[in-house]
Amino acid sequence: MDKEKQMTKLAFLGLGVMGAPMAGHLQKAGHDVTVYNRTAAKAEDWVKAHGGAMARTPREAVKDAEVVMACVGNDDDLRSVCLGETGAFGGMTAGAIFVDHTTVSAAVTRELYKAADAAQISFVDAPISGGQAGAENGALSIMCGGDKGAFDRALPVMEVYAKICRRIGESGAGQMTKMCNQIAIAGLVQGLSEALHFAEKAGLDGRAVVEVISQGAAGSWQMANRYETMLDDEFDHGFAVDWMRKDLGICLKTADENGASLPVTALVDQFYKDVQKLGGARWDTSSLIKRLRAMG
């Protein structure tokens, strides 16, 4: 706790399904948190629930903050929060650290790392995995890129809502690692969907099947946490298909640039496009099984 107390003045920008509980953990841990959200009503509700303070702009929110966290939507959202007319970089104190939890491209990460350096602040890319439940339970996996000194200073703050938090390398390495995460998930969810769909077609009890195969080589986080809702045809939770397609688009674009071959990822991305056409833009990513059921 002594390490955490060294950094008490914090700002959190973006209060979506991930950001709101993460900021809540920081406030509960005894930090002085000021929040900002594009829709001010969410910030007002957060303050009513957790205490702390809210600001109307990113620049106002980061005043005097030693560490600033962001968890927004995409590259453009992040640029706006950092560099916009009322952006955070213009209001941060020299020596402060900006920690970005958004899943964005490594290109925008490196662009903002340079802009931060010019403003005499540090920038750590720190995308997260673990879903809404991980954020709510303070058990996220955080993969980081950036200068080691900045990472070491920000680590005690991130550990408040992390199960594991590691620096992988220089700026952009965190985002590249998150791409690996999404590439792995895409194939896993499709495989699990096909297995459960096959069990249904074979007249098997899906729960009994998973009870057995989950204890062997087929076991995974996706199986343990999503098989029941998949069997029950429930997808109003977790990470939305729209966001997954955004992430996979980043993966595929980066693969074109670095020469990686991602045939399964490209295929599953198209399967998610089919799910969107079924009306599943906001369904959980495990809704790939809905596509199989729709095919008969």
Side-chain angles (χ1 to χ4, degrees):
M1 181 61 73
D2 289 341
K3 286 184 178 180
E4 293 172 8
K5 286 181 178 177
Q6 291 174 14
M7 293 189 257
T8 58
K9 180 64 176 169
L10 308 175
F12 205 105
L13 314 177
L15 299 174
V17 295
M18 304 293 284
M22 292 164 70
H25 286 301
L26 293 172
Q27 185 69 22
K28 187 177 179 181
H31 293 298
D32 178 11
V33 183
T34 298
V35 297
Y36 161 79
N37 194 73
R38 187 164 49 187
T39 304
K42 284 189 178 181
E44 292 168 355
D45 290 343
W46 187 92
V47 171
K48 288 176 185 176
H50 300 283
M54 66 165 286
R56 296 290 174 179
T57 67
R59 185 170 299 183
E60 179 187 339
V62 304
K63 187 177 185 300
D64 298 326
E66 295 173 71
V67 182
V68 176
M69 278 70 64
C71 191
V72 292
N74 54 37
D75 285 23
D76 291 339
D77 293 333
L78 183 62
R79 276 197 191 93
S80 177
V81 160
C82 292
L83 304 175
E85 194 173 316
T86 58
F89 284 9
M92 290 176 68
T93 306
I97 304 168
F98 191 100
V99 176
D100 176 37
H101 290 306
T102 316
T103 297
V104 292
S105 68
V108 77
T109 291
R110 291 169 182 143
E111 171 193 330
L112 293 173
Y113 171 87
K114 291 178 182 177
D117 186 59
Q120 296 184 298
I121 56 180
S122 297
F123 187 96
V124 176
D125 51 300
I128 51 182
S129 182
Q132 185 175 346
E136 291 172 349
N137 296 327
L140 293 167
S141 295
I142 310 178
M143 47 220 87
C144 301
D147 298 340
K148 186 177 186 304
F151 169 79
D152 289 343
R153 288 170 55 207
L155 179 59
V157 177
M158 291 189 283
E159 285 181 331
V160 170
Y161 42 71
K163 177 171 63 175
I164 183 171
C165 183
R166 293 287 183 271
R167 177 181 178 269
I168 308 301
E170 300 302 320
S171 181
Q175 293 297 344
M176 290 290 191
T177 304
K178 180 60 184 287
M179 293 177 210
C180 296
N181 185 81
Q182 302 305 73
I183 290 165
I185 288 173
L188 282 171
V189 177
Q190 178 62 19
L192 176 58
S193 297
E194 291 183 16
L196 295 180
H197 179 62
F198 181 89
E200 290 174 353
K201 288 294 187 180
L204 303 175
D205 179 342
R207 283 171 169 77
V209 169
V210 171
E211 182 182 8
V212 175
I213 69 172
S214 65
Q215 302 306 306
S220 67
W221 185 97
Q222 294 292 332
M223 184 176 289
N225 289 273
R226 291 289 180 262
Y227 84 92
E228 288 191 290
T229 49
M230 291 170 76
L231 290 172
D232 293 338
D233 208 42
E234 296 175 357
F235 307 103
D236 57 346
H237 57 276
F239 192 63
V241 167
D242 274 354
W243 291 116
M244 186 60 161
R245 286 213 72 206
K246 183 261 294 185
D247 291 358
L248 294 182
I250 293 171
C251 296
L252 293 167
K253 183 176 185 298
T254 305
D256 283 342
E257 295 166 354
N258 69 16
S261 179
L262 304 179
V264 173
T265 303
L267 186 61
V268 175
D269 179 57
Q270 291 304 301
F271 292 165
Y272 276 124
K273 185 176 182 179
D274 293 341
V275 173
Q276 288 174 321
K277 291 177 181 178
L278 291 173
R282 302 304 300 173
W283 291 344
D284 176 75
T285 50
S286 61
S287 57
L288 281 174
I289 195 172
K290 290 278 281 187
R291 173 184 172 276
L292 298 173
R293 288 172 177 152
M295 293 172 65

